[in-house]
Amino acid sequence: MTEPLRLSKRMSELGLCSRREADEWIARGWVRVDGKVVSELGTKILPTQRVTVERQAAAEQSKRVTILINKPMGYVSGQAEDGYKPAVALVKAESRWKEDTSPTQFHPTQLRSLVPAGRLDIDSVGLLVLTQDGRIAKHLIGENSSVEKEYLVRVQYIKPGKLPEADLQRLNHGLMLDGKKLLPAQVKWQNEDQLSFILREGKKRQIRRMCDIVGLKVVGLKRVRIGRVKLGDLPVGEWRYLAEGEQF
């Protein structure tokens, strides 16, 4: 027997929206199961049942914005903490990148429900994604996400000589954090004191901890790409909209 599951979970599985959005749409009467409107939260359905959404839901979703910031040092990704400002504080009309080609007009209401899709430490800089779109958040940070994230990492070797080739290979595959094996990464030298890291996961302070294990001290860390979206020429402390047709 196929087990029934919550309608909001099924909508998320189908890629229609996030679970939070699903609950909102169900409450508004915008969701149909096998052609019938379902407006009761917590309703369970079978995976074989057909789920459709009204046009208003798609219209509402298309208004949701995704913003790319070049985060400076000293800002936290999410909620304000220990006197440090959250990156969303940078999102205002005057700090929008002058070369942003998106036709979207900035309005303070866009700051509502704008959440970071992935973290960037307070002492790291570069590409940070803030989004109102639950589908994008799930794609970037959901437990099954395999979107690549690329970083440029300036390092100092704290032992005599140079980092052995065997330790560079360990950075690529073979290290463990929190008792679990890390997924394979792509780590290579860009120049004598800078490494490029490409990861498909994002444990807390992962790169710094990986470097620490092999005797490297991180002196600078910058995220330059998430999936197919690059930081490019976006200036530090400025932001732009994710362009129409631009995909991670």
Side-chain angles (χ1 to χ4, degrees), residues 27-246:
R28 291 189 181 193
W30 290 352
V31 180
R32 291 176 184 264
V33 176
D34 293 339
K36 291 182 181 173
V37 172
V38 173
S39 56
E40 191 178 324
L41 295 178
T43 296
K44 293 194 170 186
I45 66 163
L46 293 169
T48 50
Q49 292 184 274
R50 185 164 168 264
V51 180
T52 53
V53 296
E54 302 294 330
R55 248 180 277 169
Q56 300 99 303
E60 177 96 353
Q61 204 167 45
S62 68
K63 286 188 250 166
R64 305 208 163 171
V65 298
T66 295
I67 283 171
L68 312 173
I69 296 181
N70 186 345
K71 186 188 92 66
M73 215 175 273
Y75 282 80
V76 291
S77 302
Q79 298 293 318
E81 55 186 71
D82 301 331
Y84 293 108
K85 287 185 177 176
V88 71
L90 295 163
V91 183
K92 40 197 173 190
E94 56 270 30
S95 54
R96 182 177 179 181
W97 189 28
K98 299 288 183 282
E99 293 182 35
D100 186 4
T101 55
S102 169
T104 305
Q105 295 294 308
F106 175 69
H107 193 275
T109 54
Q110 292 166 358
L111 300 176
R112 282 189 217 138
S113 321
L114 196 62
V115 296
R119 52 181 291 121
L120 199 54
D121 298 328
I122 192 164
D123 41 5
S124 302
V125 301
L127 183 57
L128 180 68
V129 178
L130 300 175
T131 187
Q132 293 178 317
D133 191 330
R135 294 168 305 172
I136 286 178
K138 185 184 176 196
H139 181 58
L140 296 186
I141 57 173
E143 57 187 71
N144 298 320
S145 174
S146 60
V147 177
E148 287 186 350
K149 284 131 186 141
E150 182 177 355
Y151 304 80
L152 295 179
V153 186
R154 204 164 289 287
V155 292
Q156 285 174 350
Y157 192 46
I158 59 173
K159 298 175 186 175
K162 287 187 166 183
L163 180 77
E165 183 62 29
D167 280 342
L168 181 65
Q169 292 311 315
R170 285 174 72 210
L171 286 172
N172 277 273
H173 194 209
L175 293 182
M176 291 181 75
L177 286 182
D178 306 323
K180 285 189 179 174
K181 239 184 178 178
L182 293 176
L183 295 177
Q186 294 173 51
V187 185
K188 60 186 180 189
W189 288 106
Q190 294 289 102
N191 53 49
E192 61 183 27
D193 68 347
Q194 186 166 265
L195 287 162
S196 155
F197 273 74
I198 297 175
L199 304 181
R200 288 180 178 270
E201 60 190 329
K203 293 185 183 296
K204 195 171 181 182
R205 297 182 79 78
Q206 179 171 337
I207 291 175
R208 294 173 194 277
R209 292 164 71 198
M210 288 171 74
C211 286
D212 195 43
I213 292 170
V214 297
L216 289 170
K217 180 187 175 190
V218 173
V219 291
L221 192 154
K222 180 181 189 179
R223 184 157 61 205
V224 294
R225 177 174 68 84
I226 298 175
R228 286 183 291 196
V229 174
K230 294 180 180 177
L231 180 65
D233 298 325
L234 182 62
V236 175
E238 296 189 17
W239 62 274
R240 69 174 178 89
Y241 290 106
L242 183 72
E244 206 174 321
E246 191 176 22

